[in-house]
């Protein structure tokens, strides 16, 4: 942060610009630049607004947090965040408070029991904040006794929310398992406090379950139909059965197992022409589970999976890698961008509080700039919002799952709680939930950090609505901490947002190129004929035996079967 005296340097520059403007007679509005009769103070304000996303010098003291003149807490320390008229120094209880160039500030104060009065002075303006520290009640969490587990029989449950997180134990927040989709139906085998236990040993909140007071009927899969969608590059398996069974997805080497509980598998599976799934085998494990094993041509090209239910059908989808038209562009890639918050949801407020640009405004501007950069690279960009509109988290997740992009990027601004020292938390962060398919989070985090000159931070695993989906790689980027005055001022400057948007777009490009296949070098398929050998097939297409073996997961290159279909990685 810069101290208030830096103002004199910028003020001198303003006077020089003012003199020039006055000499050549700038009045009215021309080429999008607002020209007004320039008093000294008016020009100072105009200079402050330059390149600052709608910021105006408040010419008074603004306390953003705490957001009440009379605030109560049991904490011993809190941060005060705000803004002031940057032309004058800021004083609190007789001591000068450091501010940024445009008057943003924070101070971490120690509270005594009872009333704590903080008087701020800035030019001719004075502001008083009273913070009352109360004694902690020392009460317990409210649990009178530990909940006990008990078995349940003759009950079944159905999940009522679009996504429900299962846990390894009641109340845990660690991401242990994949989310379960709406309408998933299961036997309730036990309950523990406000949680039900499922047949796979996990727990879900009772509030997410519609309960039926009878045993789950026998469930048999009548048919499975596979199809390949060339537009979204997904292999879709449509399961027809009585109940949308509890499921699990297990990825191991070159196979993906789709496991359905309390269900009997039936019927053969025909695999259509596609670049991802080589074959599907069907089995029952003897313990009530149906297992569908998908063998892949190349496991490195699996870039997402999802399970959805609709009209009594369960759909299991596997997503292939992005297919680009040619190297050097993102032509063919589909990227979804989500500008966090919007409409009635301001998100985090910065040093200006609700009087200045809030998180929703900064997120949208940064996201629109990112879209422009990605489209210039040739990508198709799907926007959750491109105006100041409100969408629920469920609506955002639904759009991602339905559109099946190659990557989902949610852009936000960060914040700390009022009991933290705001000045000590700053910078860019990358969040994710799952990296079990492709390391999008790691690649994007490293690329943005390198381009922006940031100290690279470890990617953060978190249970976030916009990252815990599995339909495609999904990341949430925290551009900076709006509760840090220097970060907030940094984000308000258009040149910084432009640079960050370009860095995000380049990072997206780096990830997509790391997994993409190209139409100009797309693999072809070859059906093995009697008398063929891998070496004769390799010679025919000008590739090596090892390249064919790797692309098809062949362990013994000396044994191939007539009728087998191989992917040939044509150069």
């Amino acid at each position: 942060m810069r101290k208030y005296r830096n103002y004199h340097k910028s003020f001198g520059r303003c006077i020089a610009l003012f003199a020039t403007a006055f000499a050549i007679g700038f009045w009215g509005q021309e080429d999008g630049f607002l020209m007004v009769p320039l008093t000294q103070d008016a020009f100072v304000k105009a200079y402050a607004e330059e390149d600052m996303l709608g910021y105006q010098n408040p010419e008074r003291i603004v306390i953003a947090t705490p957001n009440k003149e009379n605030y109560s807490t049991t904490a011993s320390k809190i941060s005060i965040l705000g803004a002031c008229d940057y032309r004058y120094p800021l004083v609190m209880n007789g001591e000068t408070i450091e501010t940024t160039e445009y008057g943003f500030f924070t101070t971490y104060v120690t509270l005594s029991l009872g009333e704590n009065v903080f008087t701020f002075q800035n030019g001719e303006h004075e502001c008083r904040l009273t913070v009352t520290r109360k004694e902690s009640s020392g009460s317990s969490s409210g649990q009178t006794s530990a909940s006990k587990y008990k078995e349940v029989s003759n009950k079944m449950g159905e999940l009522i929310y679009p996504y429900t997180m299962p846990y390894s134990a009641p109340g845990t927040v660690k991401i242990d398992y994949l989310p379960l989709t709406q309408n998933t139906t299961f036997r309730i085998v036990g309950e523990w406090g406000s949680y039900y236990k499922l047949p796979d040993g996990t727990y879900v909140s009772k509030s997410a379950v519609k309960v039926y007071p009878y045993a789950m009927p026998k469930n048999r899969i009548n048919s499975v139909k596979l199809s390949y969608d060339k537009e979204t590059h997904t292999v879709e398996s449509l399961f027809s059965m009585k109940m949308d069974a509890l499921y699990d997805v297990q990825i191991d080497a070159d196979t993906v197992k789709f496991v359905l509980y309390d269900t009997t598998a039936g019927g053969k599976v025909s695999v259509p022409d596609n670049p991802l799934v080589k074959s599907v085998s069907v089995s029952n494990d003897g313990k009530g589970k149906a297992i569908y094993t998908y063998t892949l041509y190349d496991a490195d090209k699996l870039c997402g999976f999802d399970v959805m239910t609709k009209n009594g059908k369960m759909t299991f989808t596997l997503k292939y890698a992005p297919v680009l038209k040619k190297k050097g562009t993102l032509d063919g890639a589909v990227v979804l961008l989500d500008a966090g918050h919007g409409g009635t949801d301001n998100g985090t407020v910065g040093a200006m509080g609700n009087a200045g640009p809030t998180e929703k405004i900064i997120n949208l501007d940064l996201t629109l700039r990112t879209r422009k950069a990605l489209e210039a690279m040739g990508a198709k960009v799907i926007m959750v919002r491109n105006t100041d509109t409100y969408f629920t988290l469920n609506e955002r997740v639904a759009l991602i799952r339905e559109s099946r992009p190659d990557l989902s990027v949610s852009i936000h601004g960060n914040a700390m709680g009022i009991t933290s020292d705001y000045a000590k938390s700053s910078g860019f962060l990358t969040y994710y939930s799952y990296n079990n398919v492709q390391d999008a989070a790691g690649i994007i985090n490293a690329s943005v950090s390198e381009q922006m000159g940031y100290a690279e931070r470890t990617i953060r695993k978190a249970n976030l609505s916009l990252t815990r989906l599995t339909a495609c790689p999904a990341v949430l980027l925290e551009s900076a901490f709006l509760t840090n005055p220097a970060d907030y001022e940094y984000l308000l400057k258009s040149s910084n947002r432009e640079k960050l948007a370009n860095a995000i777009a380049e990072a997206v490009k780096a990830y997509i190129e790391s997994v993409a296949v190209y139409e100009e070098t797309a693999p072809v398929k070859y059906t093995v004929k009697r008398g063929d050998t891998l070496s004769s097939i390799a010679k025919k297409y000008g590739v090596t035996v090892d390249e064919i073996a790797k692309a098809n997961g062949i362990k013994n290159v000396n044994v191939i079967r007539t009728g087998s279909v191989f992917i040939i990685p044509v150069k």
Side-chain angles (χ1 to χ4, degrees), residues 38-208:
L38 298 177
T39 64
Q40 181 170 304
D41 284 351
F43 194 84
V44 169
K45 182 186 288 189
Y47 174 73
E49 291 172 2
E50 180 184 347
D51 198 33
M52 290 287 286
L53 193 64
Y55 163 78
Q56 291 187 6
N57 184 4
E59 300 184 351
R60 62 185 179 88
I61 300 167
V62 174
I63 302 297
T65 59
N67 58 4
K68 298 177 181 178
E69 290 184 6
N70 294 286
Y71 177 75
S72 296
T73 181
T74 58
S76 60
K77 289 186 174 183
I78 65 167
S79 280
I80 299 173
L81 175 69
C84 64
D85 188 332
Y86 67 85
R87 297 173 298 175
Y88 308 104
L90 176 68
V91 176
M92 182 189 79
N93 292 353
E95 293 187 8
T96 300
I97 300 296
E98 188 176 6
T99 70
T100 65
E101 181 180 0
Y102 290 108
F104 306 141
F105 69 89
T106 187
T107 182
Y108 196 46
V109 297
T110 300
L111 303 176
S112 302
L113 288 172
E115 283 194 354
N116 298 261
V117 178
F118 302 96
T119 302
F120 294 87
Q121 291 180 313
N122 176 229
E124 297 181 355
H125 188 248
E126 183 175 294
C127 175
R128 178 172 168 168
L129 172 68
T130 301
V131 179
T132 302
R133 179 186 169 192
K134 299 178 180 179
E135 289 192 27
S136 175
S137 63
S139 61
S140 66
S141 61
Q143 294 182 348
T144 56
S145 62
S147 300
K148 294 182 178 180
Y149 174 78
K150 58 182 179 181
E151 293 184 357
V152 173
S153 60
N154 297 323
K155 279 187 180 181
M156 59 182 284
E158 179 183 3
L159 297 178
I160 59 177
Y161 300 131
Y163 253 179
T164 298
M165 291 302 298
Y167 302 106
S168 57
T172 58
V173 294
K174 181 181 176 182
I175 305 172
D176 295 313
Y177 303 101
L178 300 176
L180 295 172
T181 196
Q182 192 171 18
N183 304 128
T184 298
T185 306
F186 50 86
R187 283 184 298 121
I188 297 175
V189 300
E191 61 179 309
W192 191 348
S194 58
Y195 293 84
Y196 286 126
K197 187 176 182 180
L198 281 56
D200 63 355
T202 63
Y203 293 82
V204 295
S205 172
K206 289 182 177 179
S207 62

